[in-house]
Amino acid sequence: MSDSAKSQESKGIALTDRQRIAWLRLIRSDNVGPVTFRDLINHVGSAETALEMLPELSRRGGSTRAIRIATVAEAERELAIAARCGARFVGIGEPDYPAALRQIDGAPPLLAVKGRASTGTAPALGIVGARNASISGAKFAAMIARDVGRAGYTIISGLARGIDTAAHRASLDTGTIAVLAGGIDKPYPPENVPLLDEITGGQGLAITEMPFGWEPRARDFPRRNRLIAGVALGLAVVEAASRSGSLITARYAADFGRLVFAVPGSPLDPRCHGTNGLLKDGAVVTTEARDILEALAPLSRIDLFDQPQAREAENDVDIGTERRPAAALPGDREREAIIDALGPTPVETDDIIRHTGFAASAVYLVLLELDLAGRLHRHPGGLVSLEPLG
Amino acid sequence: MSDSAKSQESKGIALTDRQRIAWLRLIRSDNVGPVTFRDLINHVGSAETALEMLPELSRRGGSTRAIRIATVAEAERELAIAARCGARFVGIGEPDYPAALRQIDGAPPLLAVKGRASTGTAPALGIVGARNASISGAKFAAMIARDVGRAGYTIISGLARGIDTAAHRASLDTGTIAVLAGGIDKPYPPENVPLLDEITGGQGLAITEMPFGWEPRARDFPRRNRLIAGVALGLAVVEAASRSGSLITARYAADFGRLVFAVPGSPLDPRCHGTNGLLKDGAVVTTEARDILEALAPLSRIDLFDQPQAREAENDVDIGTERRPAAALPGDREREAIIDALGPTPVETDDIIRHTGFAASAVYLVLLELDLAGRLHRHPGGLVSLEPLG
């Protein structure tokens, strides 16, 4: 077996150009988010088949108007713009897709990436914190970023002012990832555009799950934070006020089972209220890079990186392989019974399967139909509820 | 039963004047520390009997010169000086003796106290920290002292500059205890003499286990710190450098099973290295008084104060009651065998009993003899070793 074949086997598959266009169309279509995308691929077999079936699935789910599907031309145009600005798309399961991100629920099927690809596959530490950081906070973030970066970790952050900026700058040489809340051509804040250019022009990487040209709005930032937490093995929070975006990132990190590190600070400084709160909730007390390196060592060496085979075998999401045949569509009887079983109260899919007695595949497909018709609400923990047909 | 009889039964006994003189003589005699004092009372029955037996016990232990025993005149003189400066002596087991202190190994049999006695019996929080405190550290210490003081706790500290001073000042109205490293007439540092006068003239109390007139030396401060940790139910450390006295107090507190609270601070401030280290070791993250009050509530309400009967019954130290008859002195055969069993390596008393097969009372008495002869070393955890006869 050649080295490249071996690498492909252990690190995942590569999408063909045609598949990549189909993936891009599918994720850019109406009512298709990462979870729906995964369910579609896993149940109908491939993105191309899913695209073909979208109109019927949506109609059967009760949609009264045609679902908007991204065209081949739109997808090709986005790919062309990406290429022009030096970016490209990496699909989940491809070698350049961040290994840790692949494990989270609702991982983006496609990431727009720009810069040095290998930076995205190294074990990563997230460093986030206050935009109005104190001098000592910024200094500490830089120290941690430098020392943890030198130890072989990529530093991932959100390109914001303050702590984020300090963390990126201090890891320019060792590798840093800037996660954007908008399109890869719409970095925010404007004053950090030169920094982003330094990042993508050197050892760094910019990533986003948002389409090209997307102007980031306030509500896009929590999603950006989720991506930071998903790529990182651990998240260090340096100065964070109560109810700040950094705490949202920390909550995502905890939900994903990532280690959360918090830097202690004076209780009289509002910029430390959030970080001290994290310490009360059990975050690792962090006063030097060693605190982080010691805690991450077992994770970065074993769990997620040295045993990719084992991890893939455990992974119940078969996305990327596109080997499954399309399942037969469920009949009206099944659909009606499943809709009857649903209501405004979120329930588990397994409960629907048990309650109706139908095959799991039929239940998943009806849920997909409702999803594509814009009638299904997906809740944390895989719960679903029904939006009444209005 | 009269109310006062009830109170005496539940809160302990009161020493007679004659007993108090005997106790003072015994604890001021050569080679008698708190542990030896307790063992003597528990094994020979009373301080008066112990004083009578000291010369013989010491001689039998191998001492080549007469043990120095404090005279009645010396004890009466110390009592008189105490009375003149408004202080007095409280014996372990007496109602005014701090309840929590009574539970620790090597609790001082007699405390010199000056000020409002009831302040010594309320549940107490220790607050200690850096002498070169930052402005915000001192402010925080004051805030905690005020809020925890208002909630009904006495604040205990060491009268040092910085954090200690801030803690005492903020709890002058609610009750504060200054623990001295020297005699009660030798406060340190000199600039805090006016503060000490405010404390003892108001709701506060000064306490020490050292004799009147004793000038505090460097090595007396760890013992002072031990007393702070012993009286307190919990210890809050506000700003402490690595290897500082506050960390010694914290170690004593942890050894005594007290809750240790630490205030987080910037890793870049050396005054926070010790406190952040305590957090890493599991101290309670403390950013407001509520953190302390919530943690102490179960202890202050139940364990140590509301059930004095139960606590006394559990207490295996019968000190203060002086009811036991004097045990027969061990013979030469026992003494020699026990001395043979001892060496420079610390061993447990139980091991000596098992090894020699002698009655526990005989073993304890031989150990007392060696102790009074200055030949026994007592180690933490009740271990003992022998100093070779030189």
Side-chain angles (χ1 to χ4, degrees):
Chain A
M1 197 188 293
S2 75
D3 275 0
S4 92
K6 250 193 235 161
S7 152
Q8 186 162 310
E9 184 185 82
S10 68
K11 292 270 185 81
I13 51 85
L15 297 176
T16 63
D17 289 349
R18 187 172 159 167
Q19 278 178 313
R20 200 177 311 273
I21 287 174
W23 279 41
L24 190 54
R25 288 180 64 202
L26 187 57
I27 192 64
R28 297 287 186 252
S29 295
D30 270 5
N31 298 336
V32 180
V35 174
T36 310
F37 185 101
R38 180 200 61 190
D39 286 356
L40 279 168
I41 300 255
N42 282 347
H43 287 91
V44 310
S46 74
E48 283 195 65
T49 310
L51 287 165
E52 283 164 23
M53 293 175 69
L54 276 189
E56 186 182 356
L57 289 169
S58 168
R59 190 186 51 72
R60 290 160 61 101
S63 180
T64 49
R65 50 179 186 182
I67 188 170
R68 202 198 63 77
I69 297 171
T71 64
V72 173
E74 284 168 342
E76 284 178 338
R77 187 170 154 272
E78 191 170 352
L79 285 171
I81 304 176
R84 257 206 314 279
C85 91
R88 60 201 179 80
F89 290 93
V90 176
I92 190 167
E94 290 198 294
D96 289 349
Y97 195 92
L101 183 61
R102 197 178 160 173
Q103 316 296 330
I104 74 164
D105 230 33
L110 278 176
L111 287 177
V113 307
K114 181 178 177 183
R116 188 185 174 88
S118 64
T119 299
T121 56
L125 172 73
I127 300 182
V128 298
R131 286 189 299 276
N132 65 337
S134 72
I135 292 169
S136 79
K139 192 174 155 192
F140 188 82
M143 201 177 80
I144 292 287
R146 187 196 62 210
D147 293 349
V148 175
R150 284 181 184 164
Y153 290 83
T154 288
I155 303 301
I156 182 166
S157 192
L159 200 69
R161 298 181 187 96
I163 299 298
D164 289 20
T165 297
H168 284 308
R169 282 214 175 283
S171 54
L172 278 172
D173 293 341
T174 52
T176 193
I177 304 178
V179 183
L180 307 183
I184 210 149
D185 54 338
K186 301 287 181 186
Y188 180 89
E191 75 252 38
N192 272 347
V193 170
L195 172 60
L196 186 65
D197 288 343
E198 275 193 82
I199 290 170
T200 57
Q203 306 301 313
L205 192 66
I207 68 173
T208 184
E209 57 180 313
M210 304 307 282
F212 268 76
W214 186 275
E215 289 283 358
R217 304 151 305 173
R219 65 183 227 209
D220 295 324
F221 287 89
R223 191 158 169 186
R224 186 268 316 259
N225 296 348
R226 190 175 188 272
L227 198 47
I228 294 172
V231 172
L233 292 184
L235 181 78
V237 186
V238 186
E239 292 188 346
S242 303
R243 288 180 295 281
S244 61
S246 302
L247 296 188
I248 295 176
T249 316
R251 196 161 56 238
Y252 282 128
D255 286 349
F256 298 157
R258 309 306 193 223
L259 281 170
V260 177
F261 303 89
V263 180
S266 167
L268 300 178
D269 185 342
R271 285 173 295 209
C272 305
H273 289 179
T275 34
N276 288 339
L278 291 173
L279 293 177
K280 290 184 184 179
D281 292 342
V284 179
V285 180
T286 303
T287 63
E288 52 180 336
R290 200 174 55 176
D291 299 321
I292 295 170
L293 293 173
E294 285 180 359
L296 287 186
L299 299 175
S300 58
R301 280 207 298 261
I302 303 161
D303 270 348
L304 289 164
F305 290 89
D306 272 0
Q307 305 186 314
Q309 290 284 41
R311 296 299 300 182
E312 288 183 25
E314 282 169 29
N315 193 346
D316 63 346
V317 179
D318 203 17
I319 202 164
T321 58
E322 302 205 357
R323 278 184 306 242
R324 296 197 186 179
L329 292 182
D332 290 345
R333 189 181 67 85
E334 281 92 337
R335 184 177 313 100
E336 278 164 29
I338 290 166
I339 289 172
D340 282 349
L342 283 166
T345 305
V347 292
E348 288 187 33
T349 309
D350 281 355
D351 285 338
I352 305 169
I353 295 166
R354 268 194 295 274
H355 177 80
T356 60
F358 298 146
S361 60
V363 172
Y364 277 109
L365 270 172
V366 170
L367 294 180
L368 270 173
E369 291 171 359
L370 295 168
D371 196 1
L372 293 168
R375 295 179 63 196
L376 197 76
H377 283 231
R378 294 192 183 272
H379 304 268
L383 300 181
V384 292
S385 67
L386 190 67
E387 180 84 348
L389 204 55
Chain B
M1 197 188 291
S2 74
D3 275 1
S4 92
K6 251 192 233 160
S7 152
Q8 184 162 311
E9 185 184 79
S10 68
K11 293 267 185 81
I13 50 85
L15 296 178
T16 63
D17 289 348
R18 186 173 158 166
Q19 277 178 313
R20 201 176 311 274
I21 287 175
W23 278 42
L24 189 55
R25 287 181 64 201
L26 187 56
I27 191 64
R28 297 285 186 254
S29 294
D30 269 3
N31 297 338
V32 179
V35 174
T36 310
F37 185 100
R38 180 200 62 190
D39 286 356
L40 278 168
I41 299 257
N42 283 346
H43 286 92
V44 310
S46 74
E48 282 196 64
T49 310
L51 287 165
E52 283 166 21
M53 293 174 69
L54 276 188
E56 185 180 357
L57 290 169
S58 166
R59 188 187 52 72
R60 288 158 64 100
S63 180
T64 49
R65 50 179 185 183
I67 188 169
R68 203 200 61 81
I69 298 172
T71 63
V72 173
E74 284 167 340
E76 284 178 338
R77 188 169 151 272
E78 190 171 353
L79 285 171
I81 304 176
R84 256 205 314 280
C85 90
R88 62 201 178 79
F89 290 94
V90 176
I92 191 167
E94 290 197 295
D96 289 348
Y97 194 91
L101 183 61
R102 196 176 161 174
Q103 316 298 328
I104 75 165
D105 230 33
L110 277 177
L111 287 177
V113 308
K114 181 178 177 183
R116 189 184 172 90
S118 63
T119 299
T121 56
L125 172 73
I127 300 182
V128 299
R131 287 190 298 275
N132 65 338
S134 70
I135 293 168
S136 79
K139 193 174 153 189
F140 188 82
M143 200 177 81
I144 291 287
R146 186 196 61 211
D147 294 349
V148 174
R150 285 182 183 163
Y153 290 83
T154 289
I155 302 301
I156 182 166
S157 192
L159 200 70
R161 297 181 188 97
I163 298 297
D164 288 21
T165 297
H168 285 306
R169 283 215 175 282
S171 54
L172 278 172
D173 293 340
T174 52
T176 194
I177 304 177
V179 183
L180 306 184
I184 210 148
D185 54 338
K186 300 288 181 185
Y188 180 90
E191 74 253 37
N192 273 346
V193 170
L195 172 59
L196 186 65
D197 289 342
E198 275 193 83
I199 291 171
T200 56
Q203 306 302 314
L205 194 65
I207 67 173
T208 184
E209 58 180 311
M210 304 308 282
F212 267 76
W214 187 274
E215 289 282 358
R217 303 150 306 174
R219 66 182 229 215
D220 295 324
F221 288 90
R223 190 159 171 187
R224 186 268 316 258
N225 296 347
R226 188 174 190 273
L227 197 48
I228 294 173
V231 172
L233 293 182
L235 181 80
V237 187
V238 185
E239 291 189 343
S242 304
R243 289 180 294 281
S244 60
S246 302
L247 296 187
I248 295 176
T249 316
R251 195 160 58 238
Y252 282 128
D255 285 349
F256 299 158
R258 309 304 192 224
L259 281 170
V260 177
F261 303 90
V263 180
S266 167
L268 300 179
D269 186 341
R271 284 174 295 209
C272 304
H273 289 179
T275 35
N276 287 339
L278 291 174
L279 293 177
K280 290 184 185 180
D281 292 343
V284 178
V285 180
T286 303
T287 62
E288 51 180 337
R290 201 175 53 176
D291 299 321
I292 294 170
L293 294 173
E294 284 180 0
L296 286 186
L299 299 177
S300 58
R301 280 207 298 261
I302 302 161
D303 269 348
L304 290 165
F305 290 90
D306 273 357
Q307 306 185 317
Q309 288 284 40
R311 295 299 302 183
E312 288 185 24
E314 282 169 30
N315 193 346
D316 62 346
V317 179
D318 203 16
I319 201 163
T321 57
E322 303 203 357
R323 279 185 304 244
R324 295 196 187 179
L329 291 183
D332 290 344
R333 189 180 66 87
E334 282 93 338
R335 183 175 315 100
E336 279 163 29
I338 291 166
I339 289 172
D340 282 348
L342 282 165
T345 305
V347 292
E348 288 187 32
T349 309
D350 281 355
D351 285 338
I352 304 170
I353 295 167
R354 267 194 297 274
H355 177 80
T356 58
F358 298 145
S361 60
V363 173
Y364 278 108
L365 270 172
V366 170
L367 294 181
L368 269 173
E369 291 172 357
L370 296 168
D371 195 1
L372 292 168
R375 294 180 63 196
L376 197 75
H377 282 233
R378 295 192 183 272
H379 305 268
L383 300 182
V384 292
S385 67
L386 190 66
E387 180 84 348
L389 204 55

